[in-house]
């Protein structure tokens, strides 16, 4: 207890935030050992996803001290030498990196979560105090605007203060490098080492508001102009959309994007239209979660909409629902990814085009790429990997997606944002739906077309949450030693241990099981979550092409259910 009290007292002495100071003083006065240990016996680790955690006092929470230390570590890394050479292409016509022959520059964005603006201002103060050039976004804006701005401004790095679709009490700190993509190893480790070397934050030199540039609306206009290059086609714009930003920051930018592209303004869920960091109408502000889209689909029903679209709170993800027999049907990320990929490839040109998805997403994208004669790559999970995937030096990436509702859509000039972009994806989905509507068809009809052409690729998931992360490590060890002989009546024909860097990919803790049976093929990928105490499993069943798609979907659903049941037993975590 003495060590915890000493650590808490040292933190209290440097903390500039009266709220977390009061929280910490209350815990010290109450001798609340458990609460102090929860805050001080561990710390938030800085990794390729930056920082993310619950708001509160101490190194195991997101707060002003944690953020200032992170900013000081980032500054130290930028000042220690030339930035690592980019491994993704800079957008045509963008200026040279600001640090070339001058001070390194960082652009900072933030969303509307609790603490986001304050954390952005603290970051600006620390970076300018360290001698860096800083641009600050003019107001809370979507994450893809920040990711775009890094390349547009020729910055050496970018910081986005957001926890995306996490619960209300969370916040986070995402770092981009000068190529406009999220950082990868070894940069994360180098920044983490620099953070560890930071002393007291009340001894850091700090800049003031006059030391950084607050951007104006021209940065949003530049982002919207970049979306002009999306492959929307010159077809109809007659599509009725019901939309929700889920209490986030997407609405105003999406409205402007729709107007600029000639689409009717979307009907917006009024209860969820304004940014609200408490997310009062949803249990969890993630459009993948059950119930999160209920208000949006209800609006779609009342308005007789063609389409329901949702962004998550920082608008980097895009969810889609369509009218179906018996109500609205949420499309999976793999279904939207397949539709967008084929649309992009029909509206772009060149055999140097590259499309990318992750090892846990559907294998359908590879089939689509082969049919269109373009290049295809698989990456590890996450857009930080998708945007670094290459099959050849002259690859021109025009599309990337992951099953978790993340898409980066591009045209012949490549992708305008080297990260997932829920605004650009929403625009492209609207264009695709409008073209289908012109032909008296729907997105469901287009999915059926793909099933007949490429075979039915049905995907599902199993996620097991545990209290003790050691149980996950034990389960992975057990599966490696003794993988199941069969799942869902299908033989496990091969097991790929992804820790060995299968297929030229960087090593990662995961297993890929290939299943064979009387009809089609199946695959299961198992990996621990990088952010939560979960073991995540991704299932796919592929059935041969056929005319009776409804019957094939029913068989695939049954196959997924039986595989999921057997897998749950094999994991031994229930």
């Amino acid at each position: 207890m003495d060590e915890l009290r000493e650590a808490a007292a040292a933190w209290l002495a440097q903390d500039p935030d009266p709220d977390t100071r009061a929280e910490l003083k209350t815990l010290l006065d109450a001798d609340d050992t458990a609460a102090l240990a929860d805050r001080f016996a561990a710390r938030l680790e800085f990794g390729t996803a930056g920082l993310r955690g619950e708001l509160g006092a101490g190194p195991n929470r997101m707060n002003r001290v944690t953020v200032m230390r992170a900013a000081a570590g980032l500054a130290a890394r930028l000042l220690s030498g030339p930035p690592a050479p980019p491994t993704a292409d800079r957008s045509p016509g963008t200026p040279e990196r600001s640090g070339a022959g001058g001070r390194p520059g960082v652009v900072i964005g933030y969303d509307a979560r609790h603490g986001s603006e304050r954390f952005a201002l603290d970051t600006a103060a620390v970076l300018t105090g360290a001698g860096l050039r800083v641009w600050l976004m003019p107001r809370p804006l979507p994450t893809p605007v920040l990711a775009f701005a890094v390349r547009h401004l020729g910055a050496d790095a970018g910081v986005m203060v957001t926890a995306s679709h996490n619960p209300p009490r969370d916040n986070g700190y995402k770092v981009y490098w000068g190529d406009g993509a999220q950082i990868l190893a070894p940069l994360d480790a180098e920044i983490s080492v620099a953070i560890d070397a930071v002393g007291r934050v009340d001894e850091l030199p700090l800049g003031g508001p006059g030391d950084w540039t607050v951007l104006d609306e021209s940065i949003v206009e530049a982002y919207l102009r970049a979306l002009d290059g999306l492959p929307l086609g010159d077809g109809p714009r007659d599509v009725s959309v019901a939309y929700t930003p889920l209490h986030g920051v997407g609405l105003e930018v999406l409205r402007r994007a729709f107007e600029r592209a000639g689409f009717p303004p979307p009907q917006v869920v009024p209860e969820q239209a304004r940014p609200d960091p408490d997310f009062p109408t949803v249990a969890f502000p993630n459009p993948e979660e059950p119930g999160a889209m209920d208000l949006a689909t209800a609006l779609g029903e009342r308005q007789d909409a063609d389409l329901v679209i949702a962004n998550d709170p920082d608008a980097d993800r895009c969810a889609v629902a369509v009218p179906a027999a018996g109500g609205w049907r949420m499309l999976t990320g793999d279904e939207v990814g397949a539709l967008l990929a084929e649309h992009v490839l029909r509206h772009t040109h060149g055999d140097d085009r590259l499309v990318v998805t992750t090892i846990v997403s559907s294998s359908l994208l590879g089939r689509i790429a082969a049919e269109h004669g373009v290049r295809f790559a698989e990456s590890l999970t996450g857009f930080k990997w998708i945007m670094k995937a290459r099959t050849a030096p002259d690859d021109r990436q025009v599309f990337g997606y992951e099953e978790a509702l993340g898409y980066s859509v591009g045209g012949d000039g490549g992708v305008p944002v080297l990260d997932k972009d829920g605004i650009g994806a929403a625009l492209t989905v609207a264009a695709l739906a409008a073209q289908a509507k012109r032909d008296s068809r729907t997105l469901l009809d287009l999915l059926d077309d793909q099933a007949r052409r490429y075979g039915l690729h049905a995907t599902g998931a199993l996620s097991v949450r545990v209290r003790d992360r050691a149980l996950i490590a034990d389960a992975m060890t057990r599966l490696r030693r003794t993988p199941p002989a069969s799942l869902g009546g299908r033989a496990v024909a091969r097991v790929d241990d992804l820790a060995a860097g299968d297929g030229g990919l960087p090593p990662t803790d995961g297993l890929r099981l290939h299943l064979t049976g009387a009809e089609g093929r199946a695959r299961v990928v198992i990996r621990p979550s990088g952010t939560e105490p979960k073991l995540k499993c991704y299932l796919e069943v592929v059935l041969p092409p056929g005319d009776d798609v409804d019957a094939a979907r029913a068989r695939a659903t049954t196959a997924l259910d039986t595989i999921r049941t057997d897998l749950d037993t094999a994991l031994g975590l229930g």
Side-chain angles (χ1 to χ4, degrees):
M1 181 60 180
D2 288 343
E3 291 183 1
L4 288 175
R5 292 187 66 88
E6 289 175 7
W11 190 277
L12 187 63
Q14 62 179 313
D15 190 348
D17 190 324
D19 292 335
T20 47
R21 285 174 56 84
E23 172 192 339
L24 200 49
K25 189 174 186 306
T26 298
L27 297 178
L28 285 167
D29 291 344
D31 283 329
D32 192 335
T33 304
L36 289 171
D38 187 35
R39 288 159 176 77
F40 287 92
R43 69 183 180 94
L44 297 180
E45 295 292 337
F46 186 93
T48 55
L51 295 166
R52 191 174 293 188
E54 185 179 348
L55 294 163
N60 201 31
R61 295 287 190 274
M62 285 294 298
N63 50 65
R64 294 182 65 185
V65 176
T66 296
V67 165
M68 293 171 76
R69 286 174 54 84
L74 175 61
R77 171 57 185 86
L78 285 166
L79 292 168
S80 67
T87 54
D89 297 332
R90 299 177 65 78
S91 56
T94 54
E96 288 298 317
R97 183 179 284 120
S98 61
R103 295 181 295 162
V106 181
V107 56
I108 304 168
Y110 57 98
D111 65 8
R113 282 181 172 267
H114 290 297
S116 287
E117 183 176 10
R118 180 68 263 172
F119 293 164
L121 290 170
D122 284 338
T123 299
V126 171
L127 294 179
T128 53
L132 276 66
R133 184 181 180 187
V134 168
W135 300 270
L136 182 67
M137 286 290 176
R139 54 188 171 83
L141 285 167
T143 291
V145 178
L146 180 279
F148 164 81
V150 174
R151 288 198 300 165
H152 179 74
L153 296 171
D156 295 281
V159 170
M160 182 68 193
V161 183
T162 180
S164 191
H165 53 267
N166 273 39
R169 283 294 301 168
D170 286 4
N171 214 324
Y173 200 82
K174 185 183 291 189
V175 177
Y176 296 79
W177 214 237
D179 58 1
Q182 297 177 52
I183 60 170
L184 286 176
L187 275 172
D188 59 332
E190 293 168 1
I191 295 171
S192 183
V193 168
I195 292 172
D196 290 342
V198 175
R200 293 171 57 107
V201 300
D202 57 346
E203 296 175 355
L204 291 171
L206 301 178
D211 296 320
W212 57 79
T213 300
V214 179
L215 297 166
D216 57 25
E217 287 302 305
S218 64
I219 190 63
V220 181
E221 286 298 320
Y223 165 76
L224 292 171
R225 283 196 305 273
L227 297 188
D228 291 345
L230 296 182
L232 305 183
D234 55 3
R237 295 293 190 263
D238 177 22
V239 63
S240 172
V241 175
Y243 171 74
T244 176
L246 285 181
H247 300 294
V249 296
L251 175 58
E252 186 266 344
V253 178
L254 181 132
R255 271 179 169 162
R256 289 167 65 179
F258 268 55
E259 179 182 12
R260 186 181 184 96
F263 291 104
Q267 300 295 317
V268 182
V269 176
E271 301 94 328
Q272 298 173 334
R274 295 177 61 83
D276 188 332
D278 291 319
F279 308 111
T281 68
V282 291
F284 202 83
N286 179 351
E288 290 184 290
E289 291 292 319
M293 299 244 325
D294 285 356
L295 290 176
T297 54
L299 175 64
E301 186 69 27
R302 292 195 303 272
Q303 298 292 332
D304 194 25
D306 302 309
L307 202 60
V308 167
I309 293 176
N311 288 134
D312 65 340
D314 69 326
D316 64 349
R317 287 173 171 82
C318 177
V320 179
V322 295
W328 287 79
R329 178 185 156 192
M330 277 283 295
L331 301 187
T332 68
D334 285 315
E335 289 174 328
V336 175
L339 291 175
L340 287 176
E342 194 131 39
H343 175 84
V344 167
L345 294 178
R346 285 175 175 161
H347 290 83
T348 55
H349 308 85
D351 57 10
D352 62 340
R353 290 171 292 169
L354 172 70
V355 294
V356 183
T357 193
T358 69
I359 57 173
V360 303
S361 302
S362 172
S363 61
L364 176 55
L365 185 59
R367 293 288 307 277
I368 293 172
E371 182 72 17
H372 287 266
V374 303
R375 301 168 185 177
F376 166 72
E378 279 188 322
S379 75
L380 297 184
T381 306
F383 262 78
K384 59 183 179 286
W385 296 106
I386 288 174
M387 288 305 168
K388 302 296 175 70
R390 288 288 185 272
T391 62
D394 62 338
D395 281 343
R396 177 167 50 96
Q397 188 168 336
V398 295
F399 181 69
Y401 97 94
E402 62 182 355
E403 43 71 44
L405 308 185
Y407 318 94
S408 180
V409 181
D412 278 325
V415 292
V417 177
L418 296 190
D419 198 7
K420 49 189 173 290
D421 179 0
I423 305 293
L427 269 180
T428 313
V429 167
L432 179 57
Q435 292 171 24
K437 182 179 180 180
R438 174 197 58 195
D439 300 330
S440 300
R441 311 195 77 217
T442 69
L443 297 187
L444 295 180
D445 293 325
L446 301 184
L447 287 172
D448 287 350
D449 290 347
Q450 289 186 326
R452 295 185 186 98
R453 185 175 188 181
Y454 304 112
L456 179 67
H457 292 63
T459 56
L462 171 65
S463 181
V464 183
R465 181 181 289 272
V466 298
R467 291 179 177 272
D468 184 356
R469 285 184 180 271
L471 295 174
I472 294 177
D474 292 343
M476 293 298 294
T477 299
R478 187 167 57 252
L479 288 170
R480 283 188 169 96
R481 289 176 178 168
T482 313
S486 66
L487 293 171
R490 295 166 182 261
V492 177
R494 191 175 88 239
V495 178
D496 300 331
D497 189 347
L498 303 179
D502 181 77
L505 293 172
T508 188
D509 186 9
L511 294 169
R512 182 166 51 200
L513 283 59
H514 300 269
L515 314 181
T516 60
E519 182 184 29
R521 56 186 172 84
R523 184 195 68 186
V524 173
V525 180
I526 306 167
R527 71 174 186 93
S529 169
T531 57
E532 301 176 273
K534 286 182 178 180
L535 192 62
K536 305 185 77 171
C537 308
Y538 307 83
L539 288 56
E540 181 180 39
V541 170
V542 182
L543 300 183
D547 292 331
D548 194 344
V549 177
D550 289 339
R553 289 192 195 284
R555 296 197 306 276
T557 298
T558 299
L560 288 171
D561 288 343
T562 57
I563 292 171
R564 186 183 294 108
T565 299
D566 286 358
L567 180 61
D568 196 16
T569 301
L571 295 178
L573 295 173

